[in-house]
C-alpha cells in the first residue's frame, strides 16, 4: 500500500489528505525546508538525506550481517541441493528440513535481511517524494535550478558512478557470483543516468548524496575487500590444517612400518 501510495505525482501541500502525503511526505518536506540554511533547498536536501541515512545505519548493519551469514552458507546449501535434487514431495521436504537444520546450527535466519529493507524502502521513498512533490525543487543551488535538469550533466553522471560503485561493492562481498546482480550492476546506473538527465536536478542531488553515502557505508561496515581477505585467510588456514594432518598421518604410517 505504501509503494502504491508513493506513486503519486501531484504537489503535496498542507491541504493534502491521507497519511502518506499529508503526514509523511509533507513533514519530510518541512524538515528539508528547516535545514535549508541560507534559503538553499540544495543544502536542506543534502543534510536531510545524510540524517536519514545515519538513522538507518543500524538497520543496514543488521541487514548486511544477515546477508553475509546467509552467503557464507551458500556452498553447503548447494551441496544439499545436489544431494536432494529430486523434485518429488518427500525429497523436497527432506531438503527443506536439512536446510533449516543448517540455518539453525549456524544461527542464521534467511529472512532476517528482508525486514530492515522493508522498513527502509518507505522511508527512502518518502524522502524522494518530498523532494519532488513539495516545491523544494524550485530553488537554486550552485549552478543548478533544482526544478530543472542539470544543464551540464555533472549530477546525473556522478549519480550513475556512485550507483555503480554501490552495487559493485555489494556484489563483491558475495561468495558466488549472481547473474541477476551482474545485470543490476550495469542496469541501475544506466537507469539513474537516464532519469537524471531528464528529471529535476533536485532529485539528481538526492541520488548523488544517497549513493555516495551508501558507498562509504559499505566500505565502513561491510567492506568487500576485507571480507575477501578474511575468506582467503580462512581457506589458507584450512589448507594448512589439512596438510598438517596429512603429514602427521604419513609420519605415523612410516613409524608403524619401522
Amino acid at each position: 500500500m505504501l509503494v502504491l501510495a508513493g506513486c503519486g505525482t501531484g504537489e503535496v501541500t498542507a491541504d493534502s489528505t491521507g497519511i502518506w502525503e499529508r503526514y509523511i511526505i509533507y513533514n519530510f518536506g518541512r524538515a528539508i525546508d528547516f535545514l535549508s540554511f541560507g534559503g538553499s533547498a540544495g543544502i536542506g536536501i543534502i543534510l536531510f538525506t545524510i540524517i536519514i541515512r545515519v538513522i538507518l545505519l543500524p538497520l543496514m548493519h543488521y541487514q548486511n550481517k544477515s546477508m553475509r551469514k546467509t552467503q557464507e552458507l551458500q556452498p553447503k546449501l548447494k551441496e544439499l541441493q545436489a544431494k536432494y535434487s529430486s523434485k518429488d514431495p518427500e525429497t523436497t521436504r527432506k531438503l527443506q528440513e536439512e536446510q533449516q537444520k543448517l540455518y539453525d546450527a549456524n544461527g542464521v535466519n534467511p529472512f532476517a535481511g528482508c525486514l530492515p529493507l522493508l522498513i527502509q524502502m518507505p522511508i527512502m521513498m518518502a524522502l524522494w517524494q518530498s523532494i519532488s512533490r513539495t516545491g523544494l525543487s524550485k530553488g537554486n543551488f550552485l549552478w543548478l535550478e533544482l526544478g530543472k535538469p542539470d544543464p551540464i550533466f555533472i549530477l546525473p553522471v556522478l549519480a550513475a558512478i556512485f550507483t555503480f560503485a554501490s552495487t559493485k561493492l555489494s556484489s563483491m562481498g558475495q561468495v558466488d557470483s549472481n547473474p541477476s546482480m551482474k545485470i543490476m550492476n550495469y542496469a541501475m546506473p544506466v537507469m539513474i543516468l537516464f532519469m537524471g538527465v531528464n528529471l529535476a536536478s533536485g532529485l539528481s542531488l538526492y541520488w548523488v548524496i544517497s549513493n555516495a553515502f551508501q558507498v562509504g557505508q559499505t566500505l565502513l561496515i561491510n567492506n568487500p575487500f576485507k571480507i575477501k581477505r578474511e575468506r582467503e585467510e580462512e581457506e589458507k588456514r584450512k589448507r594448512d590444517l589439512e596438510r598438517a594432518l596429512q603429514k602427521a598421518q604419513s609420519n605415523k604410517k612410516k613409524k608403524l612400518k619401522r
Side-chain angles (χ1 to χ4, degrees), residues 31-48 136-142 144 146 205:
I32 294 173
D33 189 53
F34 174 77
L35 293 169
S36 298
F37 297 106
S40 174
I43 293 176
I45 290 170
I46 291 171
L47 292 178
F48 192 66
L136 290 168
S137 60
K138 295 178 182 178
N140 296 320
F141 180 66
L142 299 177
L144 305 166
L146 295 175
L205 180 61

Side-chain angles (χ1 to χ4, degrees), residues 7 19 31 34 48 106 112 122 128 138 168 180 189 216 222 227 253:
C7 292
I19 295 175
F34 174 77
F48 192 66
N106 290 273
W128 183 6
K138 295 178 182 178
K168 182 65 175 179
S180 60
N222 197 40
I227 292 172
K253 289 179 180 178

Side-chain angles (χ1 to χ4, degrees), residues 15-69:
D15 297 323
S16 298
T17 59
I19 295 175
W20 177 254
E21 293 186 348
R22 175 64 183 84
Y23 295 102
I24 299 178
I25 295 178
Y26 178 69
N27 284 315
F28 269 41
R30 289 180 64 192
I32 294 173
D33 189 53
F34 174 77
L35 293 169
S36 298
F37 297 106
S40 174
I43 293 176
I45 290 170
I46 291 171
L47 292 178
F48 192 66
T49 301
I50 293 173
I51 289 170
I52 290 295
R53 280 292 188 176
V54 170
I55 292 172
L56 291 174
L57 261 177
L59 282 174
M60 288 295 295
H61 183 51
Y62 177 75
Q63 179 186 349
N64 287 330
K65 284 178 64 178
S66 299
M67 291 175 65
R68 183 176 175 182
K69 283 184 177 180

Side-chain angles (χ1 to χ4, degrees), residues 196-241:
V197 167
N198 292 280
L199 298 179
S201 57
L203 293 175
S204 294
L205 180 61
Y206 155 70
W207 285 327
V208 169
I209 301 303
S210 183
N211 288 319
F213 189 95
Q214 178 72 27
V215 170
Q217 173 185 288
T218 301
L219 292 172
L220 179 66
I221 66 176
N222 197 40
N223 193 314
F225 302 104
K226 181 181 177 182
I227 292 172
K228 185 177 181 180
R229 185 170 62 252
E230 289 175 351
R231 285 178 183 152
E232 290 174 349
E233 290 174 354
E234 179 63 19
E235 290 175 1
K236 182 178 182 299
R237 187 189 66 80
K238 289 180 179 178
R239 288 195 300 269
D240 291 342
L241 179 59

Side-chain angles (χ1 to χ4, degrees), residues 25 28 122-133 192 195 199 203 206-207:
I25 295 178
F28 269 41
I123 295 174
M124 299 312 296
M125 184 178 293
L127 176 56
W128 183 6
Q129 292 273 301
S130 68
I131 294 170
S132 60
R133 300 180 62 194
I192 290 292
M195 290 193 296
L199 298 179
L203 293 175
Y206 155 70
W207 285 327

